[in-house]
């Protein structure tokens, strides 16, 4: 398969290049400097004020952005996995979850 070596996870993290291993870095320095996790109560308070934009608006805006890209930009996006890799992953998943 072509493209950089990557782990397939919920977050796309190349194993090579300037962002290699970004998900494997320790937060120890930040925590010792005072970083804290949101408490559950703070999180619930935050959600009270959080608003979401309608999905249809996001889809429309994303499609409008895509249509404005030059053709070369549509084939050289550097996010996600290749179509070939996606197909291989889906085939493997299907083989593991086949209904007998």
């Amino acid at each position: 398969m072509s493209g950089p070596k990557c782990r397939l996870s919920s977050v796309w993290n190349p194993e090579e290049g300037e962002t290699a291993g970004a998900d494997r870095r320790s937060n120890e320095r930040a925590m010792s400097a005072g970083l804290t996790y949101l408490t559950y109560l703070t999180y619930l308070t935050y959600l009270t004020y959080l608003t979401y934009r309608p999905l249809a608006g996001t889809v429309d805006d994303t499609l409008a952005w895509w249509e404005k890209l030059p053709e070369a930009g549509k084939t050289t996006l550097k996010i996600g996995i290749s179509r070939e890799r996606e197909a291989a992953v889906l085939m493997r998943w299907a083989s593991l979850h086949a209904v007998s």
Side-chain angles (χ1 to χ4, degrees), residues 3-91:
K5 290 181 184 176
C6 296
R7 286 188 348 274
L8 185 61
S9 66
S10 59
V11 177
W12 184 251
N13 292 300
E15 293 179 356
E16 300 169 353
E18 65 183 45
T19 59
D23 62 330
R24 298 185 203 145
R25 295 201 169 95
S26 170
N27 67 354
E28 186 177 337
R29 275 185 28 210
M31 296 299 287
S32 64
L35 175 69
T36 58
Y37 293 107
L38 286 174
T39 64
Y40 184 66
L41 183 58
T42 305
Y43 175 71
L44 289 177
T45 303
Y46 174 73
L47 287 181
T48 303
Y49 301 103
L50 187 64
T51 60
Y52 297 94
R53 76 185 278 209
L55 177 60
T58 301
V59 171
D60 289 344
D61 289 348
T62 303
L63 183 58
W65 165 80
W66 179 259
E67 289 173 345
K68 289 178 186 174
L69 283 177
E71 286 305 311
K74 293 179 182 180
T75 59
T76 59
L77 291 177
K78 296 180 182 180
I79 58 173
I81 59 177
S82 70
R83 290 174 192 251
E84 295 82 8
R85 178 71 177 139
E86 179 182 24
V89 169
L90 291 173
M91 286 175 54

